[in-house]
Each structure stands twice: as structure tokens, then as C-alpha cells.
Amino acid sequence: MMRLLDYEVGLDRPLFLIAGPCVIEGEGLVQESAGVLKALTDALGIPFIYKASFDKANRSSLNSFRGPGMEAGLRILADVRDRIGVRVLTDVHQDTPLDEVAAVVDVLQTPAFLCRQTDFIRAVADQGRPVNIKKGQFLAPWDMRLVVEKARSTGNGAIMVCERGVSFGYNNLLADMRALALLRATGCPVVFDATHSVQLPGGRGDSSGGQREMVPVLARAAVAAGISGLFMETHPRPDEALSDGPNSWPLGRMRELLETLIELDRVVKARGFPEDEP
């Protein structure tokens, strides 16, 4: 169990949600999506953190939309945090002024491609904010133990590990449900990224594709396997999204999916996890 902002998270606590659009496309989208998600999670009693990135530095193409940049992005995130009343999470990168971002957002997230960068991981954790560390597509789940050690060496105990699939041939990812149990050995709350796990990296040549229809399949499987939190990118109009549209779940369909996931989470956590017993 770990204290995450206003609530405790873990396998003996209800599922929490990190959700929002991949990238900040504008103030209107952020306010719209945050407002819908806040009302929905309040109604369902789900601990919620709003997610949107001010810069996607790892886009496939030089010409892909990356976001509004840090200054404008942080202003939009600060505004939605105050006006809608949500906690906010955003991605940071190696050249990000971490102290400026940490002064605005509640949770920092490290990209999967950078999980092995020792100085970066330690610098992010050293900001004193909770950190969601995305597991690299090239790592085995047990390799995350060393990544967590780097983060915790700063004295920050609020570290989460996030599974987002592992590379499986060209332009394909595999979400191995066994990894979710194996990641518990890090001692961190385990988060499952249900939308990036259905991504087809570089599948469209100059951008990534995705199998959006498989998001509920993997989300249900992950919750049944036992996780602390769920990460999902969502957009009111995924086909018009400027980033990760093919693997984003429609905002208008979030309620029906979350209702199912809440029921599954309640059942599996009430019965315990025999695979963790000595």
C-alpha cells in the first residue's frame, strides 16, 4: 500500500484511474475531457488523476504534432487543475526543466524509452512528486526492480511502475498478464496502460497505429489479474486526435467500461491473490 496524493493505493485498495488525451491539443479539449472524467469518476467513486502531455518528444515523425510546449501546456494544466478540481499528471523528458513542471503538476511520468536513463530517473524522483515510471517495451518485468532502486535512492517512496506491453516483432506489442504479477516484486503499485498496450508502433509508416477495439479486452484482463491503477488515453473524437488516436478509447464510452472494471476489481481484490502467497 502506498499513499498517492489524497488516497491510499495498492492491491487492498480500490482501482484508481489515470486518464486523459495523449497530448494537449488546446484549452478547450482539456477542459472538456477533464470535466467529463471528473464528473464520471466522482459518480463512480474512482480515485482520479487527469493526464495530458505538453510535449510528446518521441513522436514517430518530425512532422507529427508534439503539443503546445511547456509554457503554454503548464498554464493549461494549472488552469484545469484549479477550475475543474482534478489532480494532474504529465510526461517529462531529459531536457525538461523538472522543477518548473513539478511546481505545477501533481504527478510526474517518465516515458518508456527513458526508463534506463539513470540520471534522468533519479532527477525526476528527486522532485519529491509521485512518479509513474513506464516500463520500456524492451524490458522484462523483473528488470524494473533496478529502475525502482534508482528512483528510490532519492528518498522518494511514491513510485509506481506502469506496464505498457513489450515489443513482439515489428510494429507490434504484446501485453503479458503475467508481467503484472511479476511487477509486484518491485514493491510498487502496478499500473496497467490499456491504451498504449494496443498500439502498433510505427504501424502507419510515419505514425503509430492501434487496435482501439482491444482496449476493453486488455483492461478487463489486467484488472482481473490484479492491479492498483489503470492508465487510459481517451478523447471525445479519437479519429480526429492529433496523437495516439488509433489507440485512444472514446470519452463517451468510458462509463460503461469503467463500471465493468469496478465490478471486476471488487471481486478479485475481495478474494485475494494466491500467486502472491508463500
Side-chain angles (χ1 to χ4, degrees):
M1 185 173 62
M2 185 190 86
R3 186 75 183 176
L4 175 61
L5 303 174
D6 304 320
Y7 33 83
E8 294 176 337
V9 299
L11 282 186
D12 58 349
R13 292 293 184 270
L15 186 74
F16 71 91
L17 177 69
I18 300 170
C22 174
V23 67
I24 297 171
E25 298 179 11
E27 188 170 356
L29 172 68
V30 170
Q31 293 288 337
E32 175 188 4
S33 56
V36 171
L37 288 168
K38 175 69 161 56
L40 175 57
T41 53
D42 280 353
L44 297 178
I46 303 174
F48 170 59
I49 300 169
Y50 181 76
K51 179 268 173 188
S53 299
F54 58 79
D55 179 27
K56 298 297 292 186
N58 54 357
R59 295 302 307 275
S60 299
S61 169
L62 178 66
N63 299 316
S64 295
F65 179 75
R66 289 179 51 167
M70 190 184 77
E71 183 177 350
L74 289 182
R75 176 185 57 78
I76 290 171
L77 289 174
D79 188 52
V80 77
R81 185 178 188 270
D82 294 338
R83 289 177 57 185
I84 304 297
V86 291
R87 298 290 198 157
V88 295
L89 170 152
T90 199
D91 293 296
V92 291
H93 302 280
Q94 284 183 297
D95 59 352
T96 301
L98 297 174
D99 56 341
E100 295 181 36
V101 179
V104 174
V105 307
D106 301 288
V107 183
L108 301 173
Q109 181 167 276
T110 59
F113 288 132
L114 299 180
C115 70
R116 288 288 295 271
Q117 299 300 108
T118 301
D119 293 343
F120 171 68
I121 292 295
R122 294 189 66 194
V124 175
D126 200 37
Q127 300 305 310
R129 292 291 192 186
V131 181
N132 188 35
I133 302 178
K134 289 283 194 78
K135 181 180 77 64
Q137 303 92 321
F138 44 85
L139 287 187
W142 45 84
D143 292 331
M144 284 297 287
R145 178 180 57 83
L146 297 176
V147 179
V148 169
E149 285 182 6
K150 294 174 184 179
R152 284 181 170 164
S153 71
T154 65
N156 189 341
I159 306 297
M160 298 169 281
V161 292
C162 183
E163 171 61 52
R164 52 133 319 142
V166 64
S167 295
F168 188 69
Y170 297 127
N171 305 123
N172 196 22
L173 296 172
L174 174 69
D176 183 358
M177 294 299 125
R178 296 173 300 178
L180 300 173
L182 293 167
L183 282 170
R184 296 176 201 156
T186 63
C188 299
V190 177
V191 179
F192 180 67
D193 183 341
T195 46
H196 283 105
S197 292
V198 303
Q199 190 180 61
L200 301 175
R204 291 183 165 183
D206 61 353
S207 65
S208 294
Q211 296 175 307
R212 185 188 306 146
E213 69 278 8
M214 292 297 171
V215 169
V217 176
L218 293 187
R220 292 193 304 263
V223 171
I227 55 175
S228 298
L230 185 72
F231 177 104
M232 293 181 66
E233 287 186 339
T234 182
H235 193 285
R237 298 163 290 278
D239 291 334
E240 301 174 16
L242 299 181
S243 179
D244 277 3
N247 55 266
S248 292
W249 190 244
L251 183 63
R253 299 184 63 188
M254 283 289 285
R255 185 182 187 103
E256 59 181 322
L257 178 55
L258 289 175
E259 287 175 340
T260 298
L261 298 179
I262 290 171
E263 291 185 38
L264 285 172
D265 183 67
R266 187 180 299 119
V267 170
V268 296
K269 287 179 176 173
R271 294 181 178 272
F273 301 93
E275 63 271 20
D276 290 342
E277 295 176 2

